[in-house]
Amino acid sequence: MTSSPIHIGLDLGGTNIKAVALRSVGTQLDPSPILRSTSPTEAAGGPQHVSDRLVSMVEDITKDLGPVATIGLGVPGLFASDGTIELFPNMAGPWKGFNIVSAVGSKVGITPTLINDARAFTLAEGTVGAGRDAAVMLGVVLGTGIGGGVMINGRLHIGANGLAGEFAHQVVEPNGPACGCGNNGCIETLARGDFVASSAGFSDTKALYAASARGDERAITAINKAAGYIAIGVSNAAALLGVDVVVIGGGIANGGDLVIDPIRDAVRQRVTLASPDHLHVVQGILGSEAGAIGAALIGARPRP
């Protein structure tokens, strides 16, 4: 039990929900979790069941630490300002039109602050992680899908409509495959892990990168092609925003240099307006907790 205000961050994933609790120290939030937990999402149970799972995790933290001041919730998609889900492209179930803020807030007595999960990753890495000293940081999350976010001068940039940072939905092949966003040839469709693995004849990304490490030409070619699409997106962002640090995260990034090096090499070939030496492509340092930490950070911010 502690008298310092407690701030919960929840990261809703298709397989697991991750939670962290952070403590306020004076007017600052200590980014080192004082409690962390992971629980199965059980997405097949549908939106209400998943919301109840979130509620249960909040209640468990409250039992351990006492009253909670704020809750931030990172979600894998897009939502309206009132918390109604508009698009969960990689989460099964009838989520469109479901108000997750009401479903959780009505039971825990605290209105959660929603943030896109990739933006939560970006906020965490740009505040206390690998991009904390960047003037303009681009976050890129490589997981089941691809996400992104932008921080400028230490502040998360979400734009006029709240959608700034949708790195994966840049069109890089106008006649490419259809994307869940309604467009064609987005980075998401051409560089997401399952597509890259299957296009090279592998069952999943783990098998793909294991084959690459063995020198398998099919795997290496597929990875380099995907890295090329990601590099186009990075070079676009660099030209428009003057990005100086790109932080790569997500489950696929756990492959380390096997994942990061092809992207880094492709970016060096694509960035031409300024010296590529001024654009650093690095792996995130907060690991699987980055999204939950970012959610806690956004939840603890004063509301307008």
Side-chain angles (χ1 to χ4, degrees):
M1 186 80 65
T2 176
S3 59
S4 300
I6 300 299
H7 305 274
I8 292 178
L10 299 164
D11 181 12
L12 175 59
T15 302
N16 292 307
I17 303 167
K18 297 181 178 67
V20 299
L22 307 184
R23 176 190 289 132
S24 289
V25 179
T27 60
Q28 301 297 315
L29 196 61
D30 184 344
S32 301
I34 58 173
L35 183 149
R36 48 176 62 83
S37 63
T38 301
S39 184
T41 304
E42 299 179 2
Q48 187 59 57
H49 178 73
V50 171
S51 296
D52 290 341
R53 301 286 295 159
L54 293 165
V55 169
S56 178
M57 294 186 78
V58 171
E59 291 174 343
D60 287 344
I61 292 173
T62 302
K63 289 176 186 175
D64 288 338
L65 299 177
V68 170
T70 64
I71 299 171
L73 173 57
V75 296
L78 305 179
F79 49 86
S81 59
D82 67 349
T84 300
I85 301 304
E86 296 179 338
L87 178 67
F88 269 15
N90 298 307
M91 180 82 81
W95 282 95
K96 185 175 176 59
F98 181 80
N99 192 307
I100 195 169
V101 165
S102 295
V104 174
S106 63
K107 294 186 177 181
V108 301
I110 300 172
T111 301
T113 299
L114 286 193
I115 183 172
N116 170 272
D117 55 0
R119 252 76 89 194
F121 163 85
T122 301
L123 178 61
E125 289 286 354
T127 302
V128 295
R132 62 186 177 275
D133 296 323
V136 182
M137 174 197 146
L138 171 66
V140 178
V141 179
L142 305 177
T144 303
I146 298 176
V150 174
M151 286 190 71
I152 301 175
N153 295 326
R155 296 180 62 85
L156 187 67
H157 179 68
I158 61 171
N161 56 10
L163 298 178
E166 282 294 329
F167 173 84
H169 296 292
Q170 298 179 69
V171 174
V172 291
E173 289 283 2
N175 297 316
C179 180
C181 74
N183 217 325
N184 289 79
C186 294
I187 294 173
E188 167 91 356
T189 66
L190 296 162
R192 56 183 290 167
D194 56 353
F195 176 84
V196 177
S198 62
S199 69
F202 295 94
S203 57
D204 54 31
T205 53
K206 184 177 181 180
L208 174 73
Y209 282 100
S212 173
R214 296 193 303 268
D216 186 293
E217 287 299 328
R218 293 176 306 158
I220 293 171
T221 298
I223 290 169
N224 286 341
K225 186 174 182 180
Y229 287 126
I230 292 171
I232 292 173
V234 170
S235 67
N236 289 344
L240 287 171
L241 301 172
V243 174
D244 56 327
V245 177
V246 180
V247 181
I248 310 273
I252 292 177
N254 291 335
D257 290 344
L258 285 173
V259 177
I260 305 300
D261 282 350
I263 296 173
R264 188 179 287 126
D265 291 343
V267 166
R268 289 187 65 84
Q269 295 175 25
R270 282 284 176 184
V271 173
T272 59
L273 291 180
S275 170
D277 294 335
H278 298 303
L279 177 57
H280 304 285
V281 179
V282 300
Q283 185 173 357
I285 63 173
L286 299 178
S288 62
E289 293 180 345
I293 291 172
L297 291 172
I298 199 73
R301 289 187 172 183
R303 301 195 181 194

